[in-house]
Amino acid sequence: MRLGLITIGQSPRSDVVPEMRPYIKDVEIFELGALDGLSLEEIKKLHPKEGEPVLVSRLRDGTQVKLNGNIIAQRLKECVKRLENEVDIIGLLCTGEFKELRSNKILIEPSLILTKVVEALNVERLGVLIPEPEQEEMTLRKWDGKAKEILISSVSPYTGREEDFLSAGEKLKNCDMVVLDCIGYNLKVKSLIGKITERPVLLPRTLMARVIGELLER
């Protein structure tokens, strides 16, 4: 079986895929990035202007980048087309919403998995951690109706310090569950937020990997 993983940044995502690997053993992985092949100058032109949807990712060297979600959506379509004849399953390494993204192969979008899981659990007070404050309005729209009350805090998975995550966790202590709403958050962040809030924490990269592992299992 062959698995294609697409990031909105640059591939490979050496910060993400190793933590997914325990759940998707014995599968060949192909990685592709929406920013692969672009120069720094070309990437700077993708920075969102006021009013445009903000997505956050990283470059190959670990540098954080902010991206215009509308442009990235188009580039993701191209990535899917390039991969779908090479792999059996495609996974998106981003928790953003891409409603027009389609494939002739199984396409796994963490955003849909996260929202459906939370909705199914009938959560009263949901805490959501996001990378940047300017994503708050977009996040509220995304989670509207998935829980009775939404509380949001922000720390970048790429530039945040341990004390930043502990502070963010303090703001979410009264929630019933916390969602780390970015693929960049790792197991260490999950542990920090879990300890400070004493609540269940959903980590997109491992939740997605568990679903993929279930699909691949024979």
Side-chain angles (χ1 to χ4, degrees):
M1 297 288 285
R2 294 167 299 179
L3 169 66
L5 295 176
I6 302 173
T7 175
I8 64 171
Q10 288 179 331
S11 66
R13 286 301 298 266
S14 57
D15 61 316
V16 177
V17 178
E19 289 193 353
M20 297 175 65
R21 260 298 184 188
Y23 308 99
I24 48 176
K25 300 175 182 177
D26 304 320
V27 61
E28 190 175 5
I29 295 178
F30 297 80
E31 292 189 59
L32 195 60
L35 304 184
D36 288 357
L38 297 184
S39 67
L40 287 177
E41 287 303 314
E42 289 172 319
I43 291 171
K44 287 179 182 178
K45 293 178 182 178
L46 303 181
H47 193 280
K49 298 179 176 64
E50 187 175 352
E52 294 176 336
V54 178
L55 296 178
V56 177
S57 189
R58 57 162 254 170
L59 303 182
R60 198 169 290 115
D61 64 4
T63 303
Q64 173 177 296
V65 288
K66 293 182 183 180
L67 304 163
N68 180 335
N70 294 329
I71 297 175
I72 289 300
Q74 295 303 313
R75 297 190 67 85
L76 287 179
K77 289 180 181 180
E78 296 170 12
C79 290
V80 168
K81 287 181 180 179
R82 288 178 58 187
L83 273 181
E84 60 186 0
N85 292 325
E86 305 293 330
V87 301
D88 303 290
I89 295 175
I90 295 175
L92 186 61
L93 297 182
C94 177
T95 63
E97 293 185 291
F98 302 98
K99 296 180 179 179
E100 296 182 4
L101 206 58
R102 299 286 185 275
S103 175
N104 58 30
K105 297 293 175 66
I106 294 175
L107 178 62
I108 300 176
E109 298 184 57
S111 177
L112 292 174
I113 297 174
L114 287 168
T115 53
K116 294 299 182 183
V117 167
V118 170
E119 198 170 16
L121 295 175
N122 296 312
V123 177
E124 293 277 336
R125 291 167 60 86
L126 178 68
V128 183
L129 188 65
I130 57 176
E132 298 292 336
E134 58 258 53
Q135 295 177 304
E136 185 168 332
E137 184 178 338
M138 179 174 66
T139 301
L140 286 172
R141 289 197 302 269
K142 171 180 175 177
W143 290 99
D144 182 44
K146 306 300 187 298
K148 291 187 177 179
E149 187 176 352
I150 311 295
L151 284 81
I152 297 176
S153 191
S154 60
V155 181
S156 169
Y158 308 115
T159 62
R161 301 164 299 173
E162 182 171 325
E163 52 264 41
D164 298 326
F165 289 108
L166 293 176
S167 177
E170 284 287 346
K171 298 176 183 177
L172 303 175
K173 287 184 74 170
N174 293 325
C175 296
D176 301 314
M177 174 182 290
V178 178
V179 171
L180 306 181
D181 201 353
C182 177
I183 207 74
Y185 295 121
N186 58 27
L187 288 167
K188 181 180 179 181
V189 173
K190 175 176 179 171
S191 178
L192 287 172
I193 298 298
K195 286 178 180 178
I196 199 72
T197 62
E198 298 183 336
R199 295 292 185 269
V201 179
L202 289 181
L203 181 64
R205 60 175 64 178
T206 50
L207 180 61
M208 173 183 174
R210 290 171 193 269
V211 171
I212 293 172
E214 184 72 15
L215 293 173
L216 294 173
E217 190 176 14
R218 292 290 186 267

